[in-house]
Amino acid sequence: MSATNHVTLEFPAIAQNVEFARVAVACFASQIDSFTMEEIDDIKLIVSEAVSNVVLHGYDSPGGLVRVHAVIEGNVLTITVEDTGRGIADVEQARQPAFTTSPDRMGMGFTIMEALSDDLDVSSRPGAGVRVIMKKAPRMAGSEEHERRS
Amino acid sequence: MRTETRAIGNVLVVRLSGELDLGTAPEFRAKLEEELDAKPDITRIFLVLRDVTFIDSSGLGAILGRYRRLRAHGGGLFAIAPSPQVRKVFDLSGLTSIIPVYETEDEAWARASGV
Ligand SMILES: Nc1ncnc2c1ncn2[C@@H]1O[C@H](COP(=O)(O)OP(=O)(O)OP(=O)(O)O)[C@@H](O)[C@H]1O
Ligand SMILES: [Mg+2]
């Protein structure tokens, strides 16, 4: 498959929208028909982590927005999750397993995004927000033994 | 998400179904805190995850929080029958090395009811 397609979602950074975002992106991703069910579940999870982070950590005051952009180019899905909030001062530190600024959380969001995407890029300017870019392609694209969804 | 609870002796059996994420974790947390406050004899939670279709780090944090509350008083929390998706997130996050996971409720009763 070599088609190109894209979708952009923009919504308030509130908890109710986390499910919407992951289901919408998973539905879009399923246009790449060689993704397995497990890979679609991985996509749901990494979107959930990135969007939850904006809701939890992104803004000091209510009303902030999350922008999710997903692109399909050939067999590759690229997901960008952005906010214009407080940003992250030290991205390298934030990406460490178990690092969190909230004492009741595990600090595993970025670790999960890294483990389940093929590539994770996090960039931030303090005071200007965070941009997370994740790429994922079907592991076994084209294989005959590949367990397809349909 | 739905949370069903039943106290059996000093074990609280909790059956969760649906999706445990940032949107639903507060309700889960509140329900369990309420139960633990009302039933001070409870020392262990058996958390049956068979019908949980999705979990992320917010769900893990909510589970870990209840585990810590019970551990602080010498009790524990045991995860039972996670689906492959839930199991994968437990393993990735390292939660499996903190919280014991059993495949069936019978196994939890056999191995964890005397803790
Ligand atoms: N969009 C964001 N805006 C500002 N800070 C962020 C953002 N995303 C992440 N962070 C910072 O990076 C830290 C690590 O994020 P990560 O997702 O790994 O853990 P967490 O969200 O704290 O916990 P968990 O994901 O396990 O619930 C956060 O505690 C927060 O300080
Ligand atoms: Mg997080």
Side-chain angles (χ1 to χ4, degrees):
Chain A
M1 194 180 88
S2 59
T4 298
N5 196 4
H6 64 94
V7 64
T8 303
L9 310 167
E10 193 174 65
F11 48 86
I14 54 176
Q16 301 94 287
N17 284 334
V18 175
E19 180 185 11
F20 163 72
R22 70 172 173 260
V23 172
V25 174
C27 184
F28 179 71
S30 66
Q31 291 182 7
I32 299 179
D33 55 353
S34 44
F35 273 135
T36 60
M37 283 306 274
E38 185 176 358
E39 286 166 333
I40 294 288
D41 278 348
D42 293 347
I43 290 163
K44 269 190 198 163
L45 181 55
I46 63 182
V47 170
S48 203
E49 294 300 340
V51 173
S52 294
N53 274 354
V54 179
V55 176
L56 285 162
H57 313 295
Y59 295 98
D60 296 317
S61 48
L65 296 177
V66 189
R67 185 174 168 277
V68 178
H69 184 59
V71 181
I72 292 172
E73 285 161 303
N75 249 339
V76 182
L77 173 72
T78 304
I79 306 160
T80 304
V81 177
E82 292 178 282
D83 65 74
T84 55
R86 69 162 75 103
I88 301 175
D90 184 342
V91 169
E92 206 186 316
Q93 180 189 48
R95 289 181 60 161
Q96 294 301 311
F99 176 85
T100 179
T101 49
S102 314
D104 55 341
R105 311 198 68 83
M106 292 188 73
M108 293 309 291
F110 280 130
T111 304
I112 290 170
M113 289 181 247
E114 181 154 356
L116 298 183
S117 63
D118 300 333
D119 186 64
L120 170 68
D121 180 79
V122 184
S123 54
S124 178
R125 278 186 302 126
V130 176
R131 179 162 65 201
V132 173
I133 304 175
M134 301 177 284
K135 288 187 188 291
K136 194 159 178 83
R139 172 128 324 143
M140 304 279 281
S143 157
E144 289 300 313
E145 287 138 294
H146 187 52
E147 167 235 335
R148 284 170 189 269
R149 282 174 292 115
S150 51
Chain B
M1 196 211 49
R2 253 180 49 168
T3 313
E4 266 172 49
T5 60
R6 188 150 80 102
I8 303 175
N10 52 16
V11 175
L12 186 68
V13 180
V14 179
R15 270 172 233 285
L16 259 187
S17 54
E19 306 200 320
L20 191 56
D21 71 351
L22 189 62
T24 57
E27 184 190 328
F28 166 78
R29 189 183 298 119
K31 169 104 188 195
L32 263 60
E33 291 298 289
E34 189 184 299
E35 290 280 331
L36 293 174
D37 290 344
K39 303 183 174 111
D41 293 346
I42 297 290
T43 55
R44 278 152 294 145
I45 287 178
F46 286 3
L47 185 61
V48 184
L49 297 166
R50 190 174 289 109
D51 298 321
V52 174
T53 51
F54 178 86
I55 194 168
D56 63 14
S57 67
S58 295
L60 299 180
I63 293 173
L64 189 64
R66 291 341 97 205
Y67 166 85
R68 286 188 176 135
R69 173 173 175 171
L70 291 163
R71 281 303 290 169
H73 301 99
L77 181 148
F78 305 85
I80 297 167
S83 69
Q85 195 271 338
V86 173
R87 180 76 204 208
K88 186 172 182 174
V89 186
F90 266 58
D91 288 345
L92 269 177
S93 66
L95 202 65
T96 327
S97 62
I98 304 172
I99 293 179
V101 178
Y102 296 116
E103 287 313 314
T104 64
E105 268 171 84
D106 284 350
E107 193 187 347
W109 283 109
R111 312 224 352 232
S113 55
V115 171

